Amino acid sequence: MDKGLHFTICVVTTVLLLRESSQAGEEKDPELLAAPKPDSRGTGEGLPTLTVTTILEDPYVMVRGAELEGYCMELLAALAGMLRFQYRVKVVADGQYGAVAAGGNWSGMIGEILRREADIAVAPLTVTSAREEVVSFTTPFLQTGIGILLRKDTTSQDMSFFHFLSPFSKETWTALLFAYLLTCFCLFLVARLSPCEWNEPKNEENHFTFLNSLWFGAGALALQGATPRPQALSVRVIAVVWWLFTLALLAAYIANFTALLSSGSEQLPIQTFEDLVKQRNLEFGTLEGSSTFYYFKNSKNPIHQMIYEYMEKRREHVLVKTYQEAVQRVMDSNYAFIGESISQDLAAARHCNLIRAPEVIGARGFGIATSQGESPCASAAPWAVIHSVSEREGSPAGDLDYLRNKWWESSCLRQSRDRWGPLEPPALGGLFLTLGIGLALGVLAALAELSSSSRRAAAHAKKSCCSVFTEEICTRLRIKGAARQSQETSGKANA
C-alpha cells in the first residue's frame, strides 16, 4: 500500500511538472505572447468582446513577461472600462501600420480591420486622409508631426575661436555694450552735477572723469573694486544698481556657458529639412510603407520631393522595417531618421546621445481606427472618455497628460526638447529695465541735491533760485558761453 501510494504521488508530481514546463514554454513563444488576452477591467457577462490589433513599439505597446503593457494598453483599458466592452489583443501579423499594396489591398493594421480580422486598432496609428477613406478614426489621443532624429556627435560643429561669446546672442551683447556706456555716462554726469560729490567746481578737481567712470564700470563687471569711490547718494544709487545688474548678468552668463560646454556643440548644423538635403555626411530615411514616406511622396514642396526621390532611389538601403531598427541605426552609423516627432522625443529621452532637430512639419495625430459603421467606440473621443474615467474613479491613471508623463519619462539629465540656446534680450528685459530705472533715480537724486544746494546759495546771495541753479549747471558742465555771461554779470555788479 505504501509503495502504491508512493508510486501514485510520483506519477502525479511528474504530470504536474510536465504541465508547468509546457505552460512555461508557451509563455516564451512570441506568437502566444501576442495572442488575444481578455481584459480584467472589461470582464462581465453580456458585454461585447472586441479583437484589438496593435503593433509593438516602445512605449505604446511592449512585451513584459507574458503580457503586453504600455501607453496604448492603459488607454485601451480605460476605454473598455468607460464604454463597457471586453477585448482581446493581438499583434499585427505583418508588423506594418497600414499602406496600400500593389494590388490595391491594404496591409498592416488597416488591412486587418478591413478583412474583419480585428475590430479596432489601438496603436500609434497616424490619421491620414487615405486611411480615413477606408476606416474610421476617433479623436486623436496624441498630437505629433514629422521630425529628424540625429546622433549628437554626428551633428556637432567645431568650436569657433570666439566660442566664449555664444552664451549671449549678438543683440544681447549689443544691448550690454549700450547699457555699459550709458551707465558710465550717467556716473560721469551725476558726479559733476551733485554738490556732495563735487563741491567746488572752480577750485576742486572732479575724480569721476569719463575715463575714470569707464574704469569704475569695468571694475564692477569683473567683480573688482575700482576707484574713485562714490560719496554722493546719487552716485551711490547708480553704482549699486550697476553692481546688482552685473551680478545677475554674470550669473546668467556662467549658467548658460556651462550648459553650452556640457551640450558639446553650439547649435545643430541640421536645423531644417532643407539643411538635411544640402548636407552630404548623413544618409536619411524613414519607415518603409509608413505615412511619413507617403507624406513626402504626395507633397508638392520641392524640398520634400527631393527627400522622397532620395529615399526612393535608395529604398533598399535607407528605409527601415521597424522603429527600433531606425533608432539603433541612428546610434550606430551616420544616419538620420525621419519619423514621428513624439516618438523621436522618446528616443532622445531614453538615449542621451540622440537629439531631435527643431523643425517639425506635417502636424498630425494618432487615433484609434475602427471599421466604418457601428462600433462601440467609433464615435468616442478618447480625451473625453479618459477624463471621464479619471473623474469617476478619482485617479489620474486614465488622464492623457498623466500617461504622457509616465511613459515619456526621461533618464537623461536634460530632455532633448530643452535644448540650449543663446540668451536673447527679452530674456534679460527685466534686468535692463531695472538698470534703466536705477539710472533715472540717480540722475533725479543728483538734480535734487543740486537744487537743494542752489536754494541755500540763492538765499545767502539774495538771488533767484533759478538763476543760481542755472549758473551751477553751466559751471559744472563747463558751458563756456553761459559761464562767460555769468562772469560778466558778476563783474558789472562788483563795479
Side-chain angles (χ1 to χ4, degrees):
M1 183 67 181
D2 292 339
K3 292 183 178 179
L5 179 61
H6 180 70
F7 176 76
T8 303
I9 293 175
C10 291
V11 170
V12 171
T13 303
T14 303
V15 171
L16 291 176
L17 290 175
L18 290 175
R19 183 178 179 183
E20 291 179 359
S21 176
S22 175
Q23 290 178 348
E26 290 178 354
E27 289 181 353
K28 295 180 180 179
D29 190 341
E31 295 295 331
L32 293 178
L33 280 176
K37 171 182 172 294
D39 175 58
S40 60
R41 292 186 58 177
T43 56
E45 296 182 0
L47 297 180
T49 301
L50 302 181
T51 300
V52 180
T53 180
T54 188
I55 192 170
L56 295 178
E57 182 175 330
D58 187 12
Y60 303 99
V61 181
M62 299 172 291
V63 178
R64 291 292 183 271
E67 298 182 355
L68 297 175
E69 69 173 18
Y71 179 98
C72 289
M73 291 298 98
E74 292 195 21
L75 177 64
L76 178 61
L79 284 172
M82 181 65 187
L83 301 178
R84 304 296 298 161
F85 66 87
Q86 301 180 76
Y87 61 86
R88 298 168 64 85
V89 181
K90 64 186 293 289
V91 176
V92 60
D94 60 4
Q96 301 292 320
Y97 290 87
V100 182
N105 297 323
W106 282 81
S107 63
M109 292 177 284
I110 302 297
E112 291 189 351
I113 292 177
L114 294 177
R115 294 189 298 270
R116 303 294 180 181
E117 298 174 7
D119 297 303
I120 61 174
V122 182
L125 189 61
T126 304
V127 180
T128 64
S129 57
R131 290 171 178 171
E132 284 185 309
E133 293 179 358
V134 294
V135 297
S136 297
F137 280 97
T138 62
T139 302
F141 56 87
L142 275 179
Q143 295 295 334
T144 182
I146 300 176
I148 308 170
L149 184 65
L150 308 157
R151 196 172 76 247
K152 289 181 180 179
D153 58 1
T154 62
T155 61
S156 60
Q157 292 177 321
D158 295 333
M159 291 187 180
S160 64
F161 189 71
F162 296 99
H163 193 60
F164 67 94
L165 298 177
S166 299
F168 294 157
S169 65
K170 295 179 181 178
E171 294 79 7
T172 304
W173 284 115
T174 303
L176 175 59
L177 178 60
F178 178 77
Y180 168 69
L181 294 176
L182 180 61
T183 302
C184 294
F185 175 76
C186 288
L187 276 173
F188 167 73
L189 178 63
V190 169
R192 297 184 74 87
L193 292 179
S194 175
C196 300
E197 189 71 39
W198 197 23
N199 190 25
E200 295 292 337
K202 297 179 180 179
N203 304 322
E204 182 183 350
E205 182 182 357
N206 191 338
H207 298 291
F208 269 97
T209 63
F210 189 68
L211 290 178
N212 287 343
S213 299
L214 291 175
W215 178 249
F216 183 88
L221 275 174
L223 299 181
Q224 300 294 324
T227 55
R229 301 185 183 277
Q231 299 177 2
L233 175 63
S234 54
V235 183
R236 290 180 178 180
V237 167
I238 294 180
V240 168
V241 171
W242 178 244
W243 288 338
L244 295 176
F245 176 84
T246 55
L247 281 175
L249 191 73
L250 288 174
Y253 177 86
I254 293 173
N256 227 31
F257 193 58
T258 303
L260 167 64
L261 294 178
S262 62
S263 67
S265 63
E266 293 184 29
Q267 277 189 335
L268 288 176
I270 299 177
Q271 299 276 336
T272 64
F273 285 88
E274 184 176 359
D275 296 335
L276 184 64
V277 172
K278 290 180 179 179
Q279 60 82 37
R280 293 294 180 267
N281 297 326
L282 298 178
E283 295 179 324
F284 54 88
T286 186
L287 289 175
E288 184 178 3
S290 64
S291 60
T292 301
F293 180 82
Y294 288 100
Y295 173 86
F296 288 100
K297 180 180 180 179
N298 300 325
S299 176
K300 304 300 181 182
N301 187 298
I303 300 297
H304 300 170
Q305 279 297 308
M306 293 174 64
I307 293 176
Y308 168 72
E309 292 172 2
Y310 174 90
M311 294 190 297
E312 180 64 26
K313 291 179 181 178
R314 302 167 178 81
R315 61 180 306 132
E316 297 296 330
H317 185 59
V318 300
L319 296 184
V320 293
K321 301 294 184 182
T322 63
Y323 175 77
Q324 290 77 9
E325 178 187 350
V327 173
Q328 192 64 39
R329 187 167 177 181
V330 173
M331 296 176 63
D332 296 340
S333 62
N334 291 337
Y335 181 78
F337 173 60
I338 302 174
E340 302 292 346
S341 60
I342 192 170
S343 300
Q344 293 175 348
D345 287 340
L346 175 68
R350 299 285 176 82
H351 307 282
C352 301
N353 62 332
L354 300 183
I355 192 170
R356 178 174 63 80
E359 185 181 36
V360 176
I361 61 174
R364 55 183 66 186
F366 290 156
I368 298 175
T370 67
S371 58
Q372 290 182 342
E374 294 186 0
S375 177
C377 64
S379 60
W383 181 269
V385 170
I386 297 304
H387 278 279
S388 298
V389 173
S390 298
E391 293 173 0
R392 186 183 64 181
E393 299 183 356
S395 169
D399 190 356
L400 293 181
D401 290 334
Y402 170 80
L403 291 179
R404 170 66 187 270
N405 295 332
K406 174 183 177 180
W407 293 103
W408 268 257
E409 183 179 2
S410 175
S411 59
C412 304
L413 293 178
R414 293 191 305 119
Q415 293 283 351
S416 61
R417 57 177 174 269
D418 297 330
R419 286 185 288 275
W420 171 89
L423 285 179
E424 299 290 340
L428 302 173
L431 196 58
F432 284 101
L433 178 61
T434 303
L435 177 63
I437 295 175
L439 297 181
L441 290 177
V443 174
L444 292 176
L447 293 176
E449 291 171 351
L450 183 59
S451 176
S452 177
S453 176
S454 299
R455 283 198 300 269
R456 291 194 299 268
H460 181 72
K462 297 182 180 180
K463 296 181 180 180
S464 66
C465 181
C466 292
S467 62
V468 174
F469 183 76
T470 304
E471 291 176 5
E472 284 288 337
I473 290 182
C474 293
T475 302
R476 293 174 181 277
L477 298 182
R478 301 188 186 281
I479 302 178
K480 296 182 179 180
R484 186 182 301 110
Q485 183 179 0
S486 63
Q487 290 175 1
E488 292 175 356
T489 303
S490 62
K492 291 180 181 179
N494 293 333

